[in-house]
Amino acid sequence: MSADSLFQSVEKDFLLTREQLKPIVDGFNSECKIGLKTPSKGLATMIPSFVTKMPQGNETGTFLSLDLGGTNLRIAAVELKGNGKTAVHELKRRPTVELKTGEGSVFFDWIADATHELITSEAKHLFTEDQVSGKETLALGVCWSFPVDQTAVDRGTILRMGKGFTLKNVEGHDLADMFHEAFARKNLNVKVTAILNDTVGTLVAHAYTNPACRIGLIFATGINAAYPEKLPLITKLDESIRSKYPENTEMLINTEIDIFGSEAYLPLTKYDLALDASHNQPKFQLYEKMLSGAYMGELVRLIAMDFIKAGALFEGHVPEGFGKPWSFPTMYMSTLESDETPDRKESREALSAFNFVNAPTLNDIAILTRICRIVAARSASLAAVSIISLVEQQKLLENDRDDIVVGINGSTYHFYPYMDRRVRRALDEWYGKEISSKITLENATEGGSVGGALIAMLCK
Ligand code: BGC
């Protein structure tokens, strides 16, 4: 088959027009409503964060925070300087595969060691002598980028983790307990005062710089979003809890939108199904697997394999290494899409990770780049669905607001070429330019660390 006819069919499958996005938006809207009333058991969505206060931007002080994502652990001492300004002193560690897939207590001990290192060396000057020696308890805000069934602002049951984490003996345990046990084993006087999802952290951190922020979106290895919901609508929370707050209170909700969607209405292509089948957690996070940074490269690889098999790419030879699932990271897509060097030098360098029978031709590289564009454009449209459904859930366009601020953090959004413009375009196509212009997409790069510190402060 020729490359042209293959592209025709792949483009047809991956292009999401307004009509094709509609069932997803509708499905997400109804999942929001169902999630708000269904008590969280097991794999939950629409998780109440118990955070009901937003920062004003003038708060000050130094707070400890910990941010665990799919790739990095960041432990930080965050100085809130007022005027929306912060200084972050952080220690970054990357867990090995052994740590991510081993015994839970070993993993938490590893975190406790890093925390000790931050307090006693890197950020020692920011704490009092009593805090460093452990005489005085230090408050810690934990930003956990995985599903947690939150039971209080500082407590939450660990659910299935995803992102390559399959820790033993953690699911079903309280996250704060796991930390406190490790801190006790390592003689650290640190208390978890807040547990938050990274999206809640992003929303709060961005609200510190722009209080108009109504959605915190992460578009990185995974995808997810948080927003403030009116308390009376969160009927999954027991009346005894709801009645503790004034009626007009809003509570931040971690939507876990990554888990939304089902085979019934997500336009899954044969490549999405193949990716899911080869994943160590099949049928989990189907929406996320269609669009986020952890998966885009593999989707490109699977499509490219069809082109190779049809003789339309690399002269029909599978380069050595390329046949292996997950061998084509999303980073290579970034390189291919941004490469403007003569003879596509940078792309060739990225592709040198594989062994070719004959060096790829310029046409091969152009084909592969076009596949990247197709996959990335769909990612942007699908990410826009998260924004659209939370704008609708909050009815933000109904009262003629023209300052709908979305704070966005995440490597895929910030570093993938043109991703921000593509998400914008998807919103323009959905709403039309005039209405879409009421939605401002702002970079919220101070995610987990600052958010963790702010919530530790707000909930102290
Ligand atoms: C996790 C979420 C997280 C999101 C963004 C998803 O895979 O389940 O809890 O917020 O990634 O990091």
Side-chain angles (χ1 to χ4, degrees):
M1 220 199 279
S2 73
D4 277 350
S5 48
L6 280 165
F7 270 126
Q8 255 179 27
S9 109
V10 174
E11 270 161 0
K12 189 169 138 283
D13 285 350
F14 275 71
L15 179 73
L16 294 177
T17 60
R18 201 178 184 286
E19 287 64 42
Q20 280 149 329
L21 287 178
K22 180 87 172 62
I24 318 177
V25 172
D26 290 347
F28 278 22
N29 282 335
S30 92
E31 289 201 41
C32 280
K33 306 224 157 36
I34 295 168
L36 284 174
K37 58 183 182 206
T38 314
S40 308
K41 279 269 166 327
L43 261 188
T45 60
M46 304 302 275
I47 303 171
S49 66
F50 294 85
V51 175
T52 53
K53 286 183 230 154
M54 291 280 255
Q56 305 301 311
N58 53 6
E59 295 83 352
T60 54
T62 299
F63 297 87
L64 205 56
S65 77
L66 184 154
D67 179 5
L68 180 71
T71 318
N72 292 311
L73 166 75
R74 294 186 158 87
I75 305 184
V78 178
E79 282 182 271
L80 305 175
K81 300 182 158 203
N83 297 324
K85 299 265 181 307
T86 54
V88 180
H89 308 260
E90 78 172 16
L91 195 145
K92 192 163 128 187
R93 293 275 181 278
R94 186 178 275 235
T96 58
V97 175
E98 289 70 39
L99 276 166
K100 289 165 93 169
T101 54
E103 192 56 44
S105 57
V106 174
F107 181 71
F108 281 89
D109 280 351
W110 174 76
I111 295 183
D113 285 338
T115 311
H116 182 254
E117 193 180 325
L118 177 85
I119 301 169
T120 54
S121 51
E122 254 89 344
K124 192 172 172 194
H125 60 290
L126 297 169
F127 298 111
T128 64
E129 232 170 75
D130 283 354
Q131 287 172 327
V132 175
S133 68
K135 267 194 210 140
E136 192 186 318
T137 312
L138 274 169
L140 171 71
V142 173
C143 180
W144 191 252
S145 309
F146 305 90
V148 162
D149 179 9
Q150 195 122 16
T151 45
V153 77
D154 58 351
R155 298 199 66 78
T157 310
I158 303 175
L159 304 174
R160 178 121 65 101
M161 288 182 70
K163 295 180 184 165
F165 277 87
T166 51
L167 292 175
K168 297 182 187 73
N169 299 314
V170 297
E171 217 172 299
H173 292 253
D174 188 89
L175 181 58
D177 287 347
M178 297 288 304
F179 275 111
H180 292 150
E181 284 158 20
F183 291 152
R185 285 193 293 271
K186 301 282 174 181
N187 288 321
L188 278 179
N189 191 0
V190 176
K191 184 172 183 292
V192 174
T193 56
I195 290 175
L196 54 137
N197 180 261
D198 53 351
T199 53
V200 172
T202 295
L203 177 49
V204 171
H206 199 59
Y208 190 62
T209 59
N210 183 353
C213 186
R214 294 295 300 183
I215 297 173
L217 179 80
I218 305 271
F219 186 11
T221 318
I223 185 151
N224 190 11
Y227 75 102
E229 184 56 275
K230 297 183 187 67
L231 198 60
L233 295 185
I234 314 176
T235 50
K236 73 198 296 177
L237 274 184
D238 214 66
E239 175 58 29
S240 61
I241 301 177
R242 270 183 287 144
S243 60
K244 285 191 195 140
Y245 300 89
E247 217 193 309
N248 60 358
T249 302
E250 287 188 319
M251 185 181 281
L252 302 190
I253 296 284
N254 161 20
T255 61
E256 286 298 342
I257 213 159
D258 48 292
I259 306 176
F260 279 31
S262 68
E263 280 152 283
Y265 68 82
L266 288 174
L268 296 161
T269 65
K270 69 171 186 170
Y271 304 106
D272 298 302
L273 297 173
L275 179 148
D276 185 50
S278 77
H279 193 268
N280 65 2
Q281 300 196 327
K283 309 275 178 209
F284 178 52
Q285 298 177 313
L286 285 177
Y287 164 68
E288 175 167 295
K289 284 181 184 141
M290 292 175 82
L291 80 149
S292 68
Y295 307 105
M296 290 160 66
E298 175 64 0
L299 287 170
V300 167
R301 192 193 68 84
L302 287 166
I303 300 170
M305 286 297 284
D306 269 2
F307 277 67
I308 300 173
K309 277 185 217 142
L313 182 63
F314 305 142
E315 299 167 322
H317 300 299
V318 180
E320 205 182 305
F322 194 80
K324 192 166 154 249
W326 310 96
S327 60
F328 189 81
T330 304
M331 220 169 45
Y332 293 178
M333 295 174 66
S334 290
T335 307
L336 284 165
E337 276 220 57
S338 59
D339 182 11
E340 284 173 1
T341 54
D343 198 37
R344 310 290 307 265
K345 190 166 158 280
E346 289 173 357
S347 305
R348 287 179 194 284
E349 265 163 32
L351 293 175
S352 69
F354 308 101
N355 278 327
F356 290 85
V357 175
N358 290 313
T361 62
L362 277 177
N363 188 44
D364 286 330
I365 296 176
I367 290 178
L368 204 54
T369 309
R370 186 163 160 195
I371 299 176
C372 296
R373 274 203 296 271
I374 295 172
V375 169
R378 186 185 70 159
S379 288
S381 304
L382 288 169
V385 169
S386 284
I387 299 174
I388 295 165
S389 43
L390 296 183
V391 166
E392 293 201 3
Q393 174 62 24
Q394 297 179 75
K395 302 193 169 55
L396 293 177
L397 287 165
E398 285 178 23
N399 37 21
D400 220 21
R401 292 176 66 131
D402 50 12
D403 60 341
I404 301 167
V405 175
V406 184
I408 312 184
N409 198 4
S411 47
T412 306
Y413 183 75
H414 291 305
F415 304 129
Y416 193 90
Y418 322 114
M419 193 53 92
D420 48 355
R421 278 191 250 164
R422 285 166 165 159
V423 173
R424 180 83 259 170
R425 195 185 315 137
L427 291 175
D428 289 351
E429 276 166 20
W430 177 264
Y431 288 112
K433 276 236 157 128
E434 196 186 333
I435 295 183
S436 169
S437 69
K438 298 180 179 189
I439 304 173
T440 312
L441 307 181
E442 293 187 348
N443 290 345
T445 41
E446 299 288 22
S449 300
V450 173
L454 278 163
I455 297 179
M457 181 267 306
L458 291 169
C459 303
K460 186 167 61 139

